């Protein structure tokens, strides 16, 4: 039986290590095996907290539906999903940015630019604001491949070190938004468990001090 009072959805993948470090800094007593286990549900012995380990892109879904009270998700995933959750804390981890990129010599003869992306909602919003009509091509990864093989004129994707762009001969044309991971909360959970959630939020804010990216 789940005696846990608070369920937190954690993103597996590249955010996970940073998120665990931050939780430990915030005082959560995560066991050493937390980062290596293949279990997807982990209850703490010391406190009434349950962690569920989800694919990063699915974290806002678990939180919106209330399967988790809290979650950690990238700003990119939050914007793209449009899920109805409260964004409580900029955790300042897994920083990167979203950019338009392509081949340096790119000149399209297409009436509409073809844009490959894992983020069709963010990309379409960006081009709508610019008053440009584009054809979006949804891909699931290796986005940088698309302009090189002629599938698309440009990409909208995440850039961190810039290594992937550089090694594939692409350049950045526009910077769309800065990204970091956020602590999100289910609105109903927040109403029902406000005191406990506020305590967690406070601890997380303290733990993240000095790691903000300075944007929203
Ligand atoms: N190169 C990067 N450097 C830093 N942070 C990144 C980078 N790429 C993505 N991120 C951030 O980390 C989050 C999770 O990325 P991750 O690659 O683990 O998940 P994913 O893209 O869903 O991958 P997968 O499909 O392999 O599970 C992204 O939503 C984004 O906020
Ligand atoms: O600027 P960099 O430090 O090179 O990082 C950027 C790369 O990281 C992400 O890809 P990821 O590693 O998640 O792979 P995938 O999207 O191709 O699965 C992103 O989609 C870029 O391809």
């Amino acid at each position: 039986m789940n005696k846990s009072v608070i369920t937190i959805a954690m993103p597996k993948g590249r955010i996970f290590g940073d998120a665990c470090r931050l939780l430990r800094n915030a005082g959560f007593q995560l066991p050493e095996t937390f980062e290596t286990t293949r279990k997807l549900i982990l209850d703490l012995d010391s406190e009434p907290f349950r962690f569920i380990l989800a694919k990063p892109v699915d974290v806002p879904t678990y939180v919106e539906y209330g399967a988790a009270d809290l979650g950690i998700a990238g700003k990119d995933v939050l914007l793209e999903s449009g899920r109805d959750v409260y964004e409580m804390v900029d955790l300042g981890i897994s920083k990167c940015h979203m950019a338009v990129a392509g081949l340096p010599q790119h000149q399209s003869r297409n009436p509409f630019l073809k844009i490959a992306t894992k983020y069709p909602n963010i990309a379409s919003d960006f081009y709508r604001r610019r008053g440009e009509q584009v054809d979006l091509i949804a891909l699931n990864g290796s986005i940088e491949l698309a302009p090189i093989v002629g599938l698309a004129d440009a990409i909208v994707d995440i850039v961190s070190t810039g290594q992937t762009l550089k090694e594939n001969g692409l350049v950045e044309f526009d910077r769309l938004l800065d990204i970091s991971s956020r602590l999100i909360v289910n609105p109903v959970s927040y109403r029902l468990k406000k005191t406990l959630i506020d305590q967690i939020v406070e601890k997380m804010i303290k733990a993240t001090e000095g790691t903000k990216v300075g944007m929203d």
Side-chain angles (χ1 to χ4, degrees):
M1 193 182 76
N2 173 22
K3 291 180 288 173
S4 300
V5 177
I6 295 280
T7 299
I8 303 174
M10 295 284 284
K12 295 195 291 184
R14 57 160 44 98
I15 305 179
F16 191 66
D18 282 349
C20 289
R21 260 188 300 281
L22 203 58
L23 286 164
R24 288 198 177 96
N25 285 346
F28 288 88
Q29 287 170 19
L30 309 184
E32 264 176 36
T33 52
F34 208 75
E35 280 94 332
T36 49
T37 180
R38 295 290 301 165
K39 276 190 169 180
L40 299 174
I41 299 180
L42 300 160
D43 292 317
L44 295 192
D45 294 332
S46 50
E47 294 162 292
F49 296 128
R50 163 166 284 190
F51 292 88
I52 61 173
L53 276 46
K55 196 171 160 69
V57 75
D58 293 333
V59 166
T61 308
Y62 284 95
V63 175
E64 183 187 79
Y65 283 94
D69 303 297
L70 295 162
I72 292 178
K75 183 70 180 174
D76 52 324
V77 164
L78 287 174
L79 284 174
E80 184 63 25
S81 73
R83 290 286 178 193
D84 183 16
V85 296
Y86 293 158
E87 193 181 307
M88 305 295 279
V89 186
D90 178 351
L91 300 172
I93 56 172
S94 300
K95 291 182 190 176
C96 49
H97 67 274
M98 192 156 304
V100 180
L103 291 165
Q105 70 278 17
H106 161 75
Q107 270 193 335
S108 177
R109 282 186 226 100
N110 300 320
F112 299 131
L113 280 184
K114 285 189 283 175
I115 306 293
T117 187
K118 224 165 47 164
Y119 301 92
N121 293 328
I122 294 174
S124 84
D125 189 52
F126 173 72
Y127 284 104
R128 193 171 48 245
R129 284 166 197 254
R130 293 227 305 205
E132 287 180 38
Q133 273 191 301
V134 295
D135 280 337
L136 292 173
I137 301 172
L139 294 178
N140 293 300
S142 299
I143 312 297
E144 290 81 359
L145 201 53
I148 304 170
V149 299
L151 176 65
D153 299 303
I155 59 172
V156 168
D157 196 26
I158 281 173
V159 179
S160 175
T161 61
Q163 191 185 348
T164 312
L165 289 182
K166 196 171 167 205
E167 287 195 16
N168 291 288
L170 304 181
V171 292
E172 213 174 299
F173 299 138
D174 284 292
R175 189 174 173 124
L176 275 66
L177 78 140
D178 287 342
I179 294 165
S180 56
S181 299
R182 314 294 163 108
L183 181 69
I184 57 172
V185 178
N186 172 278
V188 176
S189 297
Y190 192 52
R191 225 176 35 242
L192 298 177
K193 306 177 187 179
K194 188 170 184 315
T195 309
L196 195 49
I197 289 175
D198 277 343
Q199 282 170 7
I200 295 169
V201 166
E202 273 308 307
K203 284 183 188 170
M204 294 300 275
I205 289 172
K206 279 221 177 80
T208 61
E209 261 158 25
T211 58
K212 301 284 187 295
V213 290
M215 52 69 59
D216 202 356

